[in-house]
């Protein structure tokens, strides 16, 4: 009995153990499956975030590369413009290193200023270039300034002479950048050379002042604001010398306002001519009006007499009409 009871108990325990093992296995399986699913879900979320980040990174990188490429193109264009500008500066430097070419450059700049103020269509009317003031005869070379402005417009009696002078003698030495600084003695000597060269140019310009034909002053055009400022500030004796010679020193920024004032004078002169014509027309009209008044009075008297005669004629006609009516009634 004891053995049977023990066997029964062992069997029961075995069955409970098997049932417990099955339950534990199911629970563990479900737990592992749930955990696996959770891990998979999280891994998929991480994968999506990583993929999105990579896609955004690739997009940003692509945009950055495109912008970089555009900027590189802009840099290349800018470099090309700089190279072109350097070439133009080199050409300009070459032009300014030659006296004759400097003179041509100054004349060209002056002509552009004249065209901008007076318009090229008015060349020969309001202004002119290479105008012959005095023709050459024999050994006399004559006088031909670089430009003139006719203050009286078409009259060509009030002439302002302008000559372009681009002298750099001694000036270049003062501002050399490729050599060691010059001493004070050398600087003073260079200033003196530059001043002497300018005075010669002033003398040349003063020849274009002809009493009775030109204005009492002539303009000397210095085609550089920097050189003009240097002369005004550092070479007072040159400025005073120009005043004594009745030569007005100008530069591109100053001559423009002078030319504009000349244009105003020309407009006023043209208006004055029109006013004279109007005055002559008014005077002629006044003379005609003097003759008009007596003629109008005569016409008025004639009209009054005609009106009176017309009234008398009307009265006579009415009387004749009444008599005819009386004759008709008698018939």
């Amino acid at each position: 009995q004891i053995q049977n009871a023990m066997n029964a108990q062992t069997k029961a325990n075995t069955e409970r153990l098997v049932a417990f093992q099955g339950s534990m296995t199911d629970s563990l399986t479900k737990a592992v499956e749930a955990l696996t699913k959770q891990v998979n879900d999280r891994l998929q979320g991480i994968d999506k975030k990583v993929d999105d980040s990579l896609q955004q990174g690739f997009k940003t990188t692509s945009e950055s590369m495109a912008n970089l490429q555009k900027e590189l193109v802009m840099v290349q264009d800018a470099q090309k413009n700089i190279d072109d500008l350097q070439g133009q500066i080199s050409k300009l430097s070459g032009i300014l290193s030659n006296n004759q070419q400097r003179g041509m450059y100054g004349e060209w700049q002056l002509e552009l200023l004249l065209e901008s103020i007076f318009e090229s269509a008015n060349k020969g009317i309001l202004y002119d270039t290479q105008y012959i003031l005095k023709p050459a005869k024999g050994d006399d070379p004559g006088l031909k300034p670089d430009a003139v402005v006719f203050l009286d417009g078409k009259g060509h009696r009030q002439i302002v002479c302008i000559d372009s002078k681009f002298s750099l003698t001694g000036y270049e030495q003062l501002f050399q950048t490729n050599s060691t600084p010059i001493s004070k003695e050398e600087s003073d000597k260079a200033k003196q050379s530059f001043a002497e060269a300018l005075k010669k140019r002033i003398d040349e310009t003063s020849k274009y002042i002809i009493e009775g034909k030109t204005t009492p002053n002539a303009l000397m055009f210095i085609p550089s604001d920097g050189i003009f400022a240097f002369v005004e500030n550092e070479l007072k004796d040159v400025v005073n010398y120009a005043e004594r010679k009745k030569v007005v020193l100008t530069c591109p920024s100053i001559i423009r306002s002078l030319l504009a004032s000349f244009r105003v004078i020309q407009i006023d002169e043209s208006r004055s001519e029109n006013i004279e014509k109007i005055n002559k027309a008014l005077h002629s009209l006044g003379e005609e009006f003097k003759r008009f008044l007596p003629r109008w009075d005569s016409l008025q008297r004639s009209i009054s007499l005609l009106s009176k005669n017309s009234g008398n004629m009307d009265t006579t006609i009415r009387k004749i009409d009444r008599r005819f009516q009386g004759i008709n009634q008698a018939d």
Side-chain angles (χ1 to χ4, degrees):
Q1 290 177 354
I2 293 171
Q3 183 65 41
N4 290 334
M6 290 180 63
N7 290 336
Q9 184 66 37
T10 299
K11 183 179 179 181
N13 290 335
T14 301
E15 290 177 353
R16 284 197 298 271
L17 180 61
V18 170
F20 176 75
Q21 287 178 344
S23 176
M24 286 296 295
T25 301
D26 291 339
S27 298
L28 287 173
T29 301
K30 290 179 181 179
V32 169
E33 288 178 353
L35 180 61
T36 302
K37 185 177 183 302
Q38 187 177 5
V39 170
N40 288 334
D41 291 342
R42 291 187 178 181
L43 286 176
Q44 288 179 357
I46 293 172
D47 288 342
K48 188 176 185 303
K49 289 182 179 180
V50 171
D51 187 61
D52 292 341
S53 298
L54 289 175
Q55 292 293 335
Q56 185 65 32
F58 288 145
K59 182 179 178 181
T60 304
T61 303
S62 299
E63 291 176 353
S64 300
M65 290 298 294
N67 292 332
L68 179 60
Q69 188 174 5
K70 290 180 181 178
E71 291 177 0
L72 286 174
V73 172
M74 293 173 62
V75 169
Q76 290 175 353
D77 292 340
Q79 183 63 41
K80 183 179 178 181
N81 292 333
I82 291 173
D83 294 338
D84 293 340
L85 180 60
Q86 287 177 344
Q88 293 174 6
I89 292 173
S90 299
K91 290 180 181 178
L92 180 60
S93 177
I95 290 173
L96 299 181
S97 64
N98 182 279
N99 290 332
Q100 185 177 3
Q101 290 180 338
R102 278 203 305 266
M104 292 174 62
Y105 172 75
E107 294 172 12
W108 171 76
Q109 190 176 5
L110 176 59
E111 187 166 0
L112 286 180
L113 289 169
L114 290 168
E115 288 179 358
S116 67
I117 299 296
F118 300 99
E119 298 181 357
S120 58
N122 290 318
K123 185 176 182 181
I125 302 174
L126 302 180
Y127 78 98
D128 207 348
T129 56
Q130 302 301 320
Y131 181 79
I132 299 176
L133 279 177
K134 180 181 175 184
K137 292 182 179 179
D139 296 335
D140 188 355
L143 293 175
K144 188 170 64 173
D146 292 331
V148 294
V149 176
F150 306 111
L151 291 182
D152 56 343
K154 298 178 181 179
H156 291 191
R157 292 183 300 274
Q158 300 178 31
I159 302 174
V160 179
C161 297
I162 309 172
D163 211 40
S164 176
K165 301 296 182 184
F166 208 152
S167 179
L168 295 179
T169 303
Y171 182 82
E172 294 173 320
Q173 187 179 357
L174 292 170
F175 297 97
Q176 286 179 352
T177 56
N178 296 327
S179 60
T180 56
I182 60 176
S183 63
K184 187 179 184 304
E185 182 180 354
E186 290 174 332
S187 175
D188 293 339
K189 186 177 180 180
K191 282 185 181 180
Q192 185 63 30
S193 299
F194 184 46
E196 293 299 326
L198 285 174
K199 288 179 180 179
K200 290 180 181 179
R201 305 290 86 78
I202 292 171
D203 290 337
E204 293 172 0
T205 305
S206 65
K207 294 178 182 178
Y208 300 121
I209 301 174
I210 303 175
E211 187 176 356
K213 190 168 187 178
T214 67
T215 57
N217 298 88
L219 303 183
M220 177 174 150
F221 177 61
I222 302 173
S224 170
D225 291 337
I227 296 176
F228 175 83
F230 178 81
V231 173
E232 287 287 328
N233 294 322
E234 301 293 335
L235 303 177
K236 296 296 184 183
D237 58 327
V238 173
V239 177
N240 295 332
Y241 184 80
E243 290 178 356
R244 291 196 298 271
K245 288 288 185 175
K246 297 183 179 180
V247 173
V248 180
L249 303 180
T250 63
C251 62
S253 60
I254 291 177
I255 198 172
R256 185 180 293 276
S257 57
L258 286 175
L259 295 177
S261 64
F262 293 160
R263 184 72 186 101
V264 172
I265 293 173
Q266 290 173 341
I267 293 172
D268 289 340
E269 182 68 21
S270 177
R271 287 174 178 171
S272 299
E273 291 177 0
N274 292 332
I275 288 173
E276 290 179 3
K277 293 178 181 178
I278 292 171
N279 287 335
K280 289 180 180 180
L282 288 173
H283 179 73
S284 176
L285 183 61
E287 295 296 326
E288 291 295 333
F289 195 73
K290 288 179 182 178
R291 290 190 288 270
F292 170 79
L293 285 176
R295 291 174 181 176
W296 174 255
D297 290 338
S298 176
L299 178 62
Q300 285 286 81
R301 288 194 296 271
S302 298
I303 291 173
S304 298
L305 181 59
L306 180 62
S307 177
K308 181 179 179 182
N309 293 335
S310 176
N312 294 334
M313 180 64 71
D314 184 66
T315 301
T316 301
I317 291 172
R318 289 180 184 277
K319 288 181 179 179
I320 293 171
D321 182 65
R322 283 198 299 272
R323 289 181 180 180
F324 270 113
Q325 287 179 1
I327 293 170
N328 289 331
Q329 289 174 0
D331 290 341

